[in-house]
């Protein structure tokens, strides 16, 4: 059977076509189909790493513990490529009252334990005339997606076409999700609670909001007395979680991959409470409000993304399924293969905090780095080395001391020579440069693959990323010490206690599967899906629009057994909860416990191929939520399901 792991032998109207070998190269394909900028021509380590400042508040409520923000999404140009190269048109979040704050990634929202944050999220994707801005990237309208042209009756559906459509050109739906937060349903960024901008040229027959927008708007007004304005939504976050590294990003149905790739992501750092450490124990400071220019920071959030660019500086993203596997049709009406969606897209250029291959000057002291894999589909294996072009795998020059994951601090620090980080996972680490001589240059590299990750080790089980491009991330240059480092060495840290979850009252069997075309034998995948398992252990796939099958009761603790029947690892994210990994088990083998760095609370777990991954979670808030693969190409084509926490 032909698969996406090989040159596709595709059924084409009138015969069968075997693609030439050169077409299997994504770089050659990009050049042939989209004028992609050759990443080897981009200068490295000429731009200093941007450290995201703090997002300005609109107000602080003096009557109650509540911070107010008004955050918009706008289109603007940003210098992502090195100086002298063209700027890139992107989307980003920013304070609507502070135009200079719009950036990708966004400025950081700083939150305090038990002090609520209320954000008005505004879709401002309009031009100066008030007309809608079309998407920067090709939107596939044949997926199950927000579908504004469908009107009220056809929104949030997979529309029917009689011929292959082009990309959707209309106003863009948005809704923001706080990833990691224990959010009420109306503030979670539910994929069908999207809304269009207030554009003057939106066709009258278009749906302007998603299927759950009105319900959540009324629920929010009833609970908080605040109204949502057209083109916006107001969400409130209670911030009663453990101190942790959260992030926010778009989550609109069937279009998340494109909206995030266009720039919609930012950090949300929750501090304080019983699960945090006193100030001064860890390296700091981090950016704060009102900081003077040039202030030095020793706690730095770092988001790593992969992107591709055209020669004019614009973002490149495939406009045809053919980019992925050479399949050139038939599409609609001759098959069920979507014409634009690609199962996985990985950029050929690494972007860190909004710049290609930046450099960070460091002192011979300890640094706290809050690392986020913000890639759409790429797994990262990070390592600090002396030679970025050395033969892989490269011996590490410095270790990471991991102190936290998605749900806050680990039980104890874990020394790691390399960090495997799946899309959406976070690793809170301390890197100790104390013994590194001034003038030394070190490099953060990536030894993960330039394709879907299936587990294993670089150089043994898969070919590592291209050392000249996607195998490099950023550079550290050691400069003289500016002030004494009084933080505690990571190996001597005592981290806040972590209470295990109680016993589970139910175990659910769920699955991960790929679905090939039902029309063209051997062609696929058509979609990637979640499933339940029947009494024989056979996966029963279900799409986004199928009835809810996971409906835990409020306050209960469950174990979910995730059976991965695919050949790839998938980062599985469950909204509303922080879970604990119980174990993993391959067929014919004993179950093995989670890795030491997985012993804390998490919201995203790597489900390895041909294996069972068990996670335990307590459902503490009633409402409608989702669970999904955080490879965004998968999420956008059926690998996401609603689940409902019931109060009765």
């Amino acid at each position: 059977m032909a698969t996406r792991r090989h040159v596709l032998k595709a059924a084409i109207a009138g015969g069968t076509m075997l693609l030439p070998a050169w077409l299997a190269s994504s770089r050659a394909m990009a050049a042939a189909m989209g004028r992609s900028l050759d990443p080897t021509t981009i200068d490295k380590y000429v731009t200093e790493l941007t450290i995201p400042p703090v997002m300005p508040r609109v107000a602080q409520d003096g009557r109650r513990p509540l911070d107010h923000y008004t955050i918009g999404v706008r289109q603007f140009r940003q210098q992502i490529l090195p100086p002298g190269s063209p700027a890139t048109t992107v989307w980003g979040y920013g304070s609507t009252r502070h135009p200079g704050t719009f950036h990708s990634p966004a400025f950081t929202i700083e939150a305090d334990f038990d002090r609520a944050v209320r954000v008005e999220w505004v879709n401002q994707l309009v031009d100066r005339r008030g007309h809608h801005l079309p998407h920067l990237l090709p939107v596939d309208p044949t997926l199950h997606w927000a579908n504004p042209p469908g009107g009220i009756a056809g929104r949030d559906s997979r529309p029917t076409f009689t011929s292959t459509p082009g990309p959707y050109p209309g106003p863009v739906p948005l809704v923001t999700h706080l990833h990691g937060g224990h959010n009420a349903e109306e503030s979670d960024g539910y994929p069908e609670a999207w809304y269009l901008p207030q554009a003057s040229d939106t066709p009258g027959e278009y749906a302007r909001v998603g299927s759950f927008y009105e319900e959540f708007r009324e629920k929010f007004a009833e609970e908080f007395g605040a109204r949502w304005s057209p083109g916006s939504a107001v969400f409130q976050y209670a911030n009663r979680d453990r101190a942790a590294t959260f992030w926010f990003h778009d989550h609109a149905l069937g279009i998340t991959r494109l909206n995030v790739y266009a720039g919609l992501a930012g950090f949300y750092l929750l501090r304080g409470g019983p699960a945090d450490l006193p100030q001064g124990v860890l390296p700091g400071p981090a950016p704060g409000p009102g900081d003077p220019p040039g202030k030095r920071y020793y706690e730095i959030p770092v988001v790593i993304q992969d992107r591709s660019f055209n020669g004019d500086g614009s973002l490149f993203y495939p406009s045809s399924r053919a980019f992925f596997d050479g399949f050139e049709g038939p599409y609609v009406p001759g098959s069920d293969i979507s014409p634009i969606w690609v199962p996985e897209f990985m950029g050929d250029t690494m972007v860190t905090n909004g710049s290609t291959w930046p450099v960070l000057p460091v002192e011979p002291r300890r640094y706290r780095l809050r690392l986020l894999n913000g890639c759409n589909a790429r797994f990262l294996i990070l390592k600090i080395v002396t030679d970025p072009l050395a033969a892989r795998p490269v011996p590490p020059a410095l270790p990471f001391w991991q102190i936290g994951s998605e749900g806050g601090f680990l039980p104890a620090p874990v020394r790691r020579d390399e960090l495997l980080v799946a899309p959406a996972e976070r690793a809170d680490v301390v890197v100790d440069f104390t013994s590194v001589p001034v003038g030394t240059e070190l490099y953060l590299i990536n030894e993960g693959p330039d394709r879907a990750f299936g587990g294993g080790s670089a150089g043994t089980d898969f070919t590592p990323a291209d050392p000249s491009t996607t195998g490099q991330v950023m550079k550290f240059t050691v400069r003289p010490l500016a002030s004494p480092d009084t933080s505690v060495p990571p190996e001597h840290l005592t981290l806040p206690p972590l209470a295990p979850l109680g016993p589970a009252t139910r175990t659910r069997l769920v699955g991960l599967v790929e679905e090939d075309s039902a029309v063209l034998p051997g062609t696929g995948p058509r979609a990637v899906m979640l499933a339940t398992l029947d009494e024989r252990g056979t996966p029963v796939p279900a799409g986004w629009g199928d009835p809810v099958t996971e409906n835990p009761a409020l306050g209960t603790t469950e174990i979910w057994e995730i059976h991965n029947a695919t050949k790839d690892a998938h980062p599985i994210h469950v909204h509303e909860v922080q879970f604990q990994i119980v174990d993993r088990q391959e067929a014919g083998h004993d179950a093995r416990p989670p890795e030491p760095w997985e012993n804390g609370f998490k919201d995203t777990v790597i489900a390895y191929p041909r294996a069972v991954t068990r996670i335990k979670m307590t459902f503490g808030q009633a409402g409608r939520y989702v669970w999904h693969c955080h490879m965004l190409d998968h999420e956008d084509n059926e690998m996401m399901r609603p689940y409902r926490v019931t109060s009765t």
Side-chain angles (χ1 to χ4, degrees):
M1 176 183 292
T3 72
R4 57 199 173 102
R5 303 290 171 249
H6 306 87
V7 177
L8 176 71
K9 191 173 183 179
I12 303 295
T16 301
M17 178 185 69
L18 183 63
L19 293 171
W22 66 267
L23 210 49
S25 164
S26 62
R27 191 176 302 171
M29 180 79 83
M33 301 182 64
R35 301 183 299 104
S36 181
L37 176 65
D38 183 350
T40 63
T41 66
I42 301 172
D43 291 335
K44 295 183 180 67
Y45 313 126
V46 295
T47 303
E48 189 164 319
L49 178 77
T50 297
I51 301 175
V54 171
M55 184 75 74
R57 300 183 183 95
V58 171
Q60 288 186 299
D61 196 320
R63 300 167 299 169
R64 50 188 171 168
L66 179 64
D67 295 334
H68 294 261
Y69 295 81
T70 302
I71 298 176
V73 169
R74 295 179 183 173
Q75 179 171 296
F76 50 91
R77 291 176 65 76
Q78 181 172 313
Q79 194 65 51
I80 297 177
L81 295 166
S85 303
T88 302
T89 299
V90 296
W91 295 347
Y93 295 102
S95 171
T96 60
R97 300 188 186 183
H98 304 83
T101 63
F102 283 83
H103 191 268
S104 178
F107 286 19
T108 299
I109 297 177
E110 284 276 352
D112 297 319
F113 177 77
D114 209 22
R115 183 177 182 87
V117 163
R118 181 178 295 178
V119 182
E120 180 180 15
W121 300 101
V122 188
N123 186 341
Q124 296 184 305
L125 292 177
V126 295
D127 64 19
R128 294 180 180 178
R129 300 172 298 167
H131 293 177
H132 77 271
L133 290 168
H135 213 294
L136 299 175
L137 310 169
V139 177
D140 193 329
T142 70
L143 301 178
H144 191 145
W145 76 295
N147 192 32
I152 297 299
R155 62 186 173 181
D156 300 315
S157 69
R158 184 185 293 270
T160 301
F161 296 92
T162 58
S163 61
T164 301
Y168 165 74
V172 177
L174 301 176
V175 63
T176 299
H177 168 55
L178 175 58
H179 185 124
H182 186 66
N183 310 320
E185 64 173 355
E186 70 275 10
S187 295
D188 190 53
Y190 191 72
E192 291 186 0
W194 54 266
Y195 45 94
L196 299 182
Q198 277 294 91
S200 60
D201 62 340
T202 301
E205 69 273 15
Y206 274 37
R208 286 167 166 75
V209 298
S211 303
F212 280 86
Y213 179 93
E214 292 101 332
E215 176 184 330
F216 292 159
R217 178 187 62 196
E218 296 309 310
K219 183 177 180 182
F220 192 92
E222 181 178 341
E223 183 171 358
F224 298 108
R227 295 286 176 181
W228 299 3
S229 302
S232 70
V234 184
F235 294 168
Q236 185 154 316
Y237 311 112
N239 294 323
R240 298 192 184 101
D241 305 285
R242 303 175 81 242
T245 304
F246 298 158
W247 63 301
F248 55 93
H249 59 82
D250 181 74
H251 215 301
L253 183 65
I255 198 173
T256 297
R257 70 197 184 287
L258 304 177
N259 292 349
V260 172
Y261 191 91
L264 299 184
F267 282 98
Y268 185 110
L269 304 182
L270 179 58
R271 301 183 188 273
D276 204 356
L277 291 172
Q279 188 173 357
V281 174
L282 296 176
D291 283 347
K295 183 173 181 177
R296 295 190 178 187
Y297 301 114
Y298 306 111
E299 179 194 319
I300 303 171
V302 178
V303 55
I304 302 167
Q305 300 167 304
D306 56 346
R307 298 290 184 264
S308 292
F309 298 88
N310 294 308
D312 62 0
S314 61
L315 291 169
F316 169 82
Y317 197 88
S319 59
S320 172
R321 169 64 181 247
F323 176 88
F324 179 75
D325 55 14
F327 181 72
E328 296 180 339
Y331 300 117
V332 179
S335 81
D336 51 2
I337 301 293
S338 292
I340 298 175
W341 175 77
V342 295
E344 292 118 24
F345 174 66
M346 298 185 190
D348 56 19
T349 305
M350 302 308 290
V351 176
T352 305
N353 284 5
S355 299
T356 55
W357 292 299
V359 58
L360 175 65
V362 297
E363 301 170 25
R365 59 183 301 150
R366 291 175 284 276
Y367 282 74
R368 181 185 187 183
L369 304 179
R370 296 179 183 251
L371 297 169
L372 161 65
N373 181 344
C375 301
N376 279 23
R378 179 186 294 274
F379 283 65
L380 301 170
I381 300 177
L382 302 175
K383 191 180 290 186
I384 298 174
V385 303
T386 57
D387 181 1
L389 294 173
R392 269 52 172 171
V394 188
L398 279 181
F400 304 94
W401 285 90
Q402 185 167 349
I403 58 173
S405 56
E406 295 94 83
F409 289 110
L410 300 175
V414 179
R415 178 184 168 125
R416 303 182 63 183
D417 287 336
E418 63 183 29
L419 300 174
L420 168 61
V421 192
E425 282 193 310
R426 283 87 75 200
D428 191 351
V429 302
V430 174
V431 178
D432 193 346
F433 295 95
T434 301
S435 61
V436 181
V438 171
T440 300
E441 296 180 341
L442 296 171
Y443 298 85
L444 183 65
I445 66 166
N446 166 41
E447 292 186 343
D450 280 329
R451 56 173 177 80
F453 178 67
S457 301
T460 301
D461 301 294
F462 57 84
T463 301
D466 185 344
S468 66
T469 55
T470 50
Q472 298 187 49
V473 178
M474 61 181 290
K475 175 178 162 182
F476 303 101
T477 58
V478 182
R479 63 186 180 183
L481 187 69
S483 60
D485 183 1
T486 58
S487 67
V488 176
E491 62 270 30
H492 298 313
L493 282 170
T494 299
L495 300 179
L498 187 151
L501 296 174
T505 57
R506 176 170 180 170
T507 297
R508 292 182 189 268
L509 277 58
V510 297
L512 317 177
V513 298
E514 288 189 355
E515 290 284 295
D516 284 346
S517 172
V519 178
L520 302 176
T523 302
R526 172 188 64 81
V528 196
M529 305 185 75
L530 303 175
T532 56
L533 271 63
D534 64 18
E535 63 278 2
R536 296 172 296 178
T538 302
V540 181
W544 170 255
D546 290 323
V548 171
T549 50
E550 289 73 49
N551 49 3
L554 179 64
T556 59
T557 299
E558 295 189 352
I559 290 175
W560 287 16
E561 284 193 1
I562 305 170
H563 294 247
N564 184 357
T566 78
K567 296 180 180 179
D568 301 331
H570 296 267
I572 299 301
H573 172 45
V574 185
H575 286 217
E576 195 271 327
V577 300
Q578 290 284 343
F579 53 73
Q580 293 178 332
I581 301 175
V582 178
D583 57 32
R584 294 185 177 92
Q585 187 170 12
E586 299 177 6
H589 294 79
D590 293 337
R592 55 185 175 86
E595 302 291 350
W597 55 87
E598 296 180 314
N599 278 327
F601 281 97
K602 292 179 63 62
D603 59 45
T604 306
V605 61
I606 300 175
Y608 286 96
R610 309 301 186 190
V612 176
T613 301
R614 297 180 180 91
I615 59 175
K616 181 193 289 188
M617 46 203 162
T618 298
F619 299 91
Q621 198 152 217
R624 176 178 287 265
Y625 298 97
V626 300
W627 68 287
H628 60 87
C629 177
H630 221 285
M631 296 173 75
L632 300 183
D633 309 290
H634 294 180
E635 170 189 330
D636 276 350
N637 192 6
E638 301 295 358
M639 206 170 194
M640 178 168 66
R641 291 276 292 141
Y643 81 93
R644 186 160 185 85
V645 182
T646 61
S647 57
T648 55

